[in-house]
Short mmCIF file of all heavy atoms in Angstrom, two decimals:
data_model
loop_
_atom_site.label_atom_id
_atom_site.label_comp_id
_atom_site.label_asym_id
_atom_site.label_seq_id
_atom_site.Cartn_x
_atom_site.Cartn_y
_atom_site.Cartn_z
N ILE A 1 52.68 12.91 -23.61
CA ILE A 1 53.03 11.51 -23.85
C ILE A 1 53.45 10.87 -22.51
O ILE A 1 54.09 11.50 -21.68
CB ILE A 1 54.16 11.39 -24.88
CG1 ILE A 1 54.38 9.92 -25.29
CG2 ILE A 1 55.43 12.02 -24.42
CD1 ILE A 1 55.30 9.76 -26.49
N SER A 2 53.00 9.64 -22.32
CA SER A 2 53.34 8.93 -21.11
C SER A 2 53.44 7.47 -21.38
O SER A 2 53.14 7.01 -22.50
CB SER A 2 52.31 9.20 -20.00
OG SER A 2 51.02 8.73 -20.39
N ARG A 3 53.90 6.71 -20.41
CA ARG A 3 54.08 5.28 -20.60
C ARG A 3 53.72 4.51 -19.35
O ARG A 3 53.77 5.02 -18.23
CB ARG A 3 55.50 4.97 -21.03
CG ARG A 3 56.53 5.35 -19.95
CD ARG A 3 57.93 4.97 -20.31
NE ARG A 3 58.82 5.19 -19.19
CZ ARG A 3 60.06 4.79 -19.15
NH1 ARG A 3 60.56 4.07 -20.15
NH2 ARG A 3 60.80 5.03 -18.10
N ASP A 4 53.34 3.25 -19.53
CA ASP A 4 53.11 2.32 -18.47
C ASP A 4 54.05 1.15 -18.73
O ASP A 4 53.74 0.31 -19.60
CB ASP A 4 51.65 1.87 -18.41
CG ASP A 4 51.33 1.00 -17.23
OD1 ASP A 4 52.26 0.31 -16.73
OD2 ASP A 4 50.19 1.00 -16.79
N ASN A 5 55.16 1.08 -18.06
CA ASN A 5 56.15 0.05 -18.32
C ASN A 5 55.62 -1.35 -18.07
O ASN A 5 55.97 -2.29 -18.78
CB ASN A 5 57.40 0.29 -17.48
CG ASN A 5 58.21 1.49 -17.94
OD1 ASN A 5 58.19 1.85 -19.11
ND2 ASN A 5 58.91 2.10 -17.02
N ALA A 6 54.78 -1.52 -17.05
CA ALA A 6 54.24 -2.82 -16.72
C ALA A 6 53.38 -3.36 -17.87
O ALA A 6 53.30 -4.59 -18.07
CB ALA A 6 53.45 -2.78 -15.46
N LYS A 7 52.76 -2.46 -18.58
CA LYS A 7 51.86 -2.87 -19.67
C LYS A 7 52.51 -2.70 -21.05
O LYS A 7 51.87 -3.00 -22.06
CB LYS A 7 50.56 -2.07 -19.64
CG LYS A 7 49.73 -2.30 -18.39
CD LYS A 7 48.46 -1.48 -18.44
CE LYS A 7 47.58 -1.71 -17.22
NZ LYS A 7 46.35 -0.91 -17.23
N ASN A 8 53.74 -2.22 -21.06
CA ASN A 8 54.42 -1.95 -22.33
C ASN A 8 53.55 -1.09 -23.25
O ASN A 8 53.39 -1.36 -24.44
CB ASN A 8 54.83 -3.24 -23.05
CG ASN A 8 55.93 -3.97 -22.32
OD1 ASN A 8 56.88 -3.38 -21.80
ND2 ASN A 8 55.83 -5.30 -22.28
N THR A 9 53.01 -0.08 -22.68
CA THR A 9 52.05 0.77 -23.38
C THR A 9 52.46 2.23 -23.29
O THR A 9 52.88 2.69 -22.21
CB THR A 9 50.63 0.60 -22.80
OG1 THR A 9 50.25 -0.80 -22.94
CG2 THR A 9 49.63 1.45 -23.54
N VAL A 10 52.31 2.94 -24.37
CA VAL A 10 52.55 4.36 -24.40
C VAL A 10 51.25 5.07 -24.76
O VAL A 10 50.42 4.54 -25.53
CB VAL A 10 53.65 4.75 -25.42
CG1 VAL A 10 53.27 4.36 -26.83
CG2 VAL A 10 54.02 6.21 -25.29
N TYR A 11 51.02 6.24 -24.16
CA TYR A 11 49.80 6.98 -24.37
C TYR A 11 50.09 8.35 -24.91
O TYR A 11 51.16 8.90 -24.75
CB TYR A 11 49.06 7.14 -23.01
CG TYR A 11 48.79 5.83 -22.32
CD1 TYR A 11 49.65 5.32 -21.35
CD2 TYR A 11 47.63 5.09 -22.61
CE1 TYR A 11 49.37 4.16 -20.68
CE2 TYR A 11 47.36 3.91 -21.95
CZ TYR A 11 48.26 3.43 -20.99
OH TYR A 11 47.97 2.25 -20.35
N LEU A 12 49.10 8.89 -25.55
CA LEU A 12 49.14 10.31 -25.96
C LEU A 12 47.83 10.95 -25.55
O LEU A 12 46.78 10.63 -26.13
CB LEU A 12 49.36 10.43 -27.48
CG LEU A 12 49.54 11.87 -27.95
CD1 LEU A 12 50.89 12.45 -27.44
CD2 LEU A 12 49.48 11.94 -29.48
N GLN A 13 47.89 11.77 -24.54
CA GLN A 13 46.75 12.48 -24.10
C GLN A 13 46.70 13.82 -24.90
O GLN A 13 47.64 14.60 -24.85
CB GLN A 13 46.82 12.81 -22.61
CG GLN A 13 45.66 13.64 -22.07
CD GLN A 13 44.34 12.92 -22.12
OE1 GLN A 13 44.24 11.75 -21.71
NE2 GLN A 13 43.30 13.56 -22.64
N MET A 14 45.61 14.03 -25.62
CA MET A 14 45.48 15.18 -26.48
C MET A 14 44.35 16.04 -25.96
O MET A 14 43.18 15.61 -25.96
CB MET A 14 45.21 14.76 -27.93
CG MET A 14 46.27 13.79 -28.50
SD MET A 14 46.02 13.41 -30.26
CE MET A 14 44.49 12.49 -30.11
N ASN A 15 44.67 17.26 -25.55
CA ASN A 15 43.69 18.19 -25.04
C ASN A 15 43.66 19.41 -25.93
O ASN A 15 44.54 19.66 -26.73
CB ASN A 15 44.04 18.62 -23.62
CG ASN A 15 44.03 17.47 -22.62
OD1 ASN A 15 43.26 16.54 -22.73
ND2 ASN A 15 44.90 17.54 -21.63
N SER A 16 42.58 20.18 -25.79
CA SER A 16 42.41 21.41 -26.55
C SER A 16 42.65 21.16 -28.03
O SER A 16 43.38 21.91 -28.71
CB SER A 16 43.36 22.49 -26.00
OG SER A 16 43.13 22.74 -24.66
N LEU A 17 42.03 20.17 -28.56
CA LEU A 17 42.25 19.75 -29.95
C LEU A 17 41.81 20.81 -30.90
O LEU A 17 40.79 21.50 -30.71
CB LEU A 17 41.54 18.44 -30.23
CG LEU A 17 42.27 17.20 -29.68
CD1 LEU A 17 41.32 16.01 -29.62
CD2 LEU A 17 43.50 16.87 -30.55
N LYS A 18 42.59 20.97 -31.98
CA LYS A 18 42.32 21.93 -33.00
C LYS A 18 42.04 21.22 -34.34
O LYS A 18 42.42 20.07 -34.51
CB LYS A 18 43.52 22.89 -33.19
CG LYS A 18 43.96 23.62 -31.94
CD LYS A 18 45.23 24.41 -32.20
CE LYS A 18 45.68 25.14 -30.93
NZ LYS A 18 46.95 25.87 -31.21
N LEU A 19 41.40 21.94 -35.24
CA LEU A 19 41.13 21.33 -36.55
C LEU A 19 42.41 20.81 -37.23
O LEU A 19 42.40 19.78 -37.87
CB LEU A 19 40.43 22.33 -37.47
CG LEU A 19 38.92 22.30 -37.46
CD1 LEU A 19 38.36 22.64 -36.10
CD2 LEU A 19 38.36 23.28 -38.52
N GLU A 20 43.51 21.54 -37.05
CA GLU A 20 44.75 21.15 -37.66
C GLU A 20 45.41 19.93 -37.05
O GLU A 20 46.43 19.44 -37.56
CB GLU A 20 45.75 22.34 -37.69
CG GLU A 20 45.90 22.96 -36.33
CD GLU A 20 45.07 24.19 -36.12
OE1 GLU A 20 43.88 24.18 -36.53
OE2 GLU A 20 45.59 25.20 -35.58
N ASP A 21 44.86 19.42 -35.96
CA ASP A 21 45.32 18.19 -35.40
C ASP A 21 44.80 16.98 -36.14
O ASP A 21 45.22 15.83 -35.85
CB ASP A 21 44.96 18.08 -33.93
CG ASP A 21 45.65 19.13 -33.05
OD1 ASP A 21 46.87 19.38 -33.29
OD2 ASP A 21 45.01 19.69 -32.16
N THR A 22 43.87 17.16 -37.04
CA THR A 22 43.30 16.05 -37.78
C THR A 22 44.38 15.33 -38.56
O THR A 22 45.10 15.96 -39.39
CB THR A 22 42.18 16.53 -38.68
OG1 THR A 22 41.08 17.05 -37.94
CG2 THR A 22 41.69 15.41 -39.59
N ALA A 23 44.53 14.03 -38.37
CA ALA A 23 45.58 13.27 -39.02
C ALA A 23 45.40 11.81 -38.65
O ALA A 23 44.65 11.46 -37.72
CB ALA A 23 46.95 13.75 -38.63
N VAL A 24 46.16 10.95 -39.34
CA VAL A 24 46.34 9.59 -38.86
C VAL A 24 47.55 9.61 -37.92
O VAL A 24 48.62 10.09 -38.27
CB VAL A 24 46.59 8.60 -40.01
CG1 VAL A 24 46.88 7.23 -39.45
CG2 VAL A 24 45.40 8.59 -40.94
N TYR A 25 47.36 9.11 -36.73
CA TYR A 25 48.39 9.09 -35.72
C TYR A 25 49.01 7.70 -35.62
O TYR A 25 48.28 6.68 -35.55
CB TYR A 25 47.82 9.50 -34.34
CG TYR A 25 47.60 10.97 -34.23
CD1 TYR A 25 46.59 11.59 -34.95
CD2 TYR A 25 48.42 11.77 -33.45
CE1 TYR A 25 46.38 12.95 -34.90
CE2 TYR A 25 48.25 13.13 -33.34
CZ TYR A 25 47.20 13.73 -34.09
OH TYR A 25 47.01 15.10 -34.01
N TYR A 26 50.33 7.65 -35.65
CA TYR A 26 51.08 6.41 -35.66
C TYR A 26 51.94 6.31 -34.42
O TYR A 26 52.63 7.29 -34.06
CB TYR A 26 51.97 6.27 -36.88
CG TYR A 26 51.23 6.23 -38.21
CD1 TYR A 26 50.97 7.39 -38.94
CD2 TYR A 26 50.79 5.04 -38.73
CE1 TYR A 26 50.29 7.37 -40.11
CE2 TYR A 26 50.09 4.99 -39.94
CZ TYR A 26 49.88 6.15 -40.63
OH TYR A 26 49.21 6.12 -41.82
N CYS A 27 51.99 5.17 -33.83
CA CYS A 27 52.94 4.85 -32.78
C CYS A 27 54.16 4.21 -33.38
O CYS A 27 54.08 3.48 -34.32
CB CYS A 27 52.29 3.92 -31.78
SG CYS A 27 53.35 3.36 -30.41
N ALA A 28 55.36 4.52 -32.83
CA ALA A 28 56.60 3.95 -33.31
C ALA A 28 57.49 3.58 -32.13
O ALA A 28 57.48 4.25 -31.10
CB ALA A 28 57.31 4.87 -34.23
N ALA A 29 58.31 2.58 -32.33
CA ALA A 29 59.32 2.16 -31.34
C ALA A 29 60.68 2.21 -32.01
O ALA A 29 60.85 1.75 -33.15
CB ALA A 29 59.02 0.73 -30.85
N HIS A 30 61.65 2.77 -31.28
CA HIS A 30 62.98 2.98 -31.81
C HIS A 30 64.07 2.52 -30.84
O HIS A 30 63.84 2.44 -29.63
CB HIS A 30 63.28 4.47 -32.09
CG HIS A 30 62.28 5.14 -32.94
ND1 HIS A 30 62.23 5.01 -34.30
CD2 HIS A 30 61.28 6.00 -32.58
CE1 HIS A 30 61.24 5.77 -34.78
NE2 HIS A 30 60.64 6.34 -33.75
N GLY A 31 65.25 2.21 -31.38
CA GLY A 31 66.43 2.10 -30.55
C GLY A 31 66.91 3.44 -30.10
O GLY A 31 66.41 4.50 -30.51
N ARG A 32 67.91 3.45 -29.28
CA ARG A 32 68.37 4.69 -28.65
C ARG A 32 68.89 5.70 -29.63
O ARG A 32 68.93 6.91 -29.32
CB ARG A 32 69.44 4.38 -27.59
CG ARG A 32 70.70 3.78 -28.09
CD ARG A 32 71.56 3.25 -26.96
NE ARG A 32 71.81 4.24 -25.94
CZ ARG A 32 72.32 3.98 -24.74
NH1 ARG A 32 72.64 2.72 -24.45
NH2 ARG A 32 72.50 4.94 -23.89
N ARG A 33 69.29 5.25 -30.78
CA ARG A 33 69.79 6.19 -31.82
C ARG A 33 68.90 6.20 -33.05
O ARG A 33 69.34 6.58 -34.15
CB ARG A 33 71.24 5.80 -32.21
CG ARG A 33 72.24 5.97 -31.09
CD ARG A 33 73.64 5.53 -31.54
NE ARG A 33 73.67 4.10 -31.84
CZ ARG A 33 73.80 3.14 -30.95
NH1 ARG A 33 73.93 3.46 -29.66
NH2 ARG A 33 73.84 1.89 -31.30
N TYR A 34 67.65 5.82 -32.88
CA TYR A 34 66.71 5.77 -33.96
C TYR A 34 67.20 4.89 -35.09
O TYR A 34 66.90 5.14 -36.29
CB TYR A 34 66.37 7.17 -34.49
CG TYR A 34 65.64 8.02 -33.50
CD1 TYR A 34 66.34 8.79 -32.55
CD2 TYR A 34 64.26 8.07 -33.48
CE1 TYR A 34 65.66 9.59 -31.65
CE2 TYR A 34 63.58 8.89 -32.60
CZ TYR A 34 64.28 9.62 -31.68
OH TYR A 34 63.63 10.43 -30.76
N GLU A 35 67.94 3.82 -34.77
CA GLU A 35 68.50 2.96 -35.77
C GLU A 35 67.50 2.06 -36.42
O GLU A 35 67.74 1.44 -37.45
CB GLU A 35 69.69 2.16 -35.22
CG GLU A 35 69.28 1.16 -34.16
CD GLU A 35 69.38 1.71 -32.75
OE1 GLU A 35 69.05 2.90 -32.57
OE2 GLU A 35 69.74 0.96 -31.83
N TYR A 36 66.34 1.93 -35.83
CA TYR A 36 65.25 1.16 -36.41
C TYR A 36 63.93 1.79 -36.01
O TYR A 36 63.88 2.61 -35.10
CB TYR A 36 65.29 -0.32 -35.99
CG TYR A 36 65.18 -0.55 -34.50
CD1 TYR A 36 63.93 -0.50 -33.85
CD2 TYR A 36 66.31 -0.81 -33.71
CE1 TYR A 36 63.84 -0.69 -32.49
CE2 TYR A 36 66.20 -1.02 -32.35
CZ TYR A 36 64.96 -0.95 -31.73
OH TYR A 36 64.88 -1.17 -30.39
N ALA A 37 62.88 1.33 -36.68
CA ALA A 37 61.54 1.81 -36.35
C ALA A 37 60.53 0.71 -36.60
O ALA A 37 60.56 0.07 -37.63
CB ALA A 37 61.19 3.03 -37.19
N TYR A 38 59.71 0.46 -35.61
CA TYR A 38 58.56 -0.39 -35.74
C TYR A 38 57.34 0.51 -35.67
O TYR A 38 57.27 1.40 -34.83
CB TYR A 38 58.52 -1.46 -34.66
CG TYR A 38 59.65 -2.46 -34.70
CD1 TYR A 38 60.77 -2.29 -33.93
CD2 TYR A 38 59.55 -3.58 -35.53
CE1 TYR A 38 61.80 -3.22 -33.98
CE2 TYR A 38 60.57 -4.49 -35.57
CZ TYR A 38 61.72 -4.31 -34.81
OH TYR A 38 62.75 -5.20 -34.82
N TRP A 39 56.37 0.22 -36.49
CA TRP A 39 55.23 1.09 -36.62
C TRP A 39 53.91 0.42 -36.31
O TRP A 39 53.73 -0.76 -36.67
CB TRP A 39 55.13 1.69 -38.02
CG TRP A 39 56.30 2.59 -38.36
CD1 TRP A 39 57.45 2.20 -39.02
CD2 TRP A 39 56.42 3.94 -38.07
NE1 TRP A 39 58.27 3.29 -39.12
CE2 TRP A 39 57.67 4.38 -38.55
CE3 TRP A 39 55.61 4.87 -37.42
CZ2 TRP A 39 58.14 5.69 -38.42
CZ3 TRP A 39 56.03 6.19 -37.29
CH2 TRP A 39 57.28 6.57 -37.78
N GLY A 40 53.04 1.11 -35.70
CA GLY A 40 51.67 0.63 -35.53
C GLY A 40 50.85 0.87 -36.81
O GLY A 40 51.35 1.41 -37.80
N GLN A 41 49.62 0.47 -36.75
CA GLN A 41 48.77 0.51 -37.97
C GLN A 41 48.21 1.91 -38.20
O GLN A 41 47.72 2.18 -39.29
CB GLN A 41 47.64 -0.49 -37.83
CG GLN A 41 46.48 -0.06 -36.94
CD GLN A 41 46.75 -0.19 -35.44
OE1 GLN A 41 47.86 -0.59 -35.03
NE2 GLN A 41 45.76 0.12 -34.63
#
């Protein structure tokens, strides 16, 4: 996982993918204590 602060973007580089990695992947944003969550589609 990495981020680009200038672009307000977070990335997930996934290598050596396995069959069990199959899923819907969601991005989320939280406060410092996980007091809220915003979710991507």
Side-chain angles (χ1 to χ4, degrees):
I1 188 170
S2 62
R3 63 178 186 168
D4 185 334
N5 289 332
K7 297 180 179 179
N8 291 320
T9 300
V10 63
Y11 304 94
L12 185 68
Q13 178 67 48
M14 305 184 293
N15 298 327
S16 302
L17 283 161
K18 305 174 180 179
L19 268 62
E20 52 263 43
D21 294 319
T22 295
V24 177
Y25 284 70
Y26 297 93
C27 178
H30 308 281
R32 64 193 306 168
R33 296 178 296 278
Y34 293 87
E35 66 268 36
Y36 61 79
Y38 295 96
W39 295 95
Q41 78 282 2

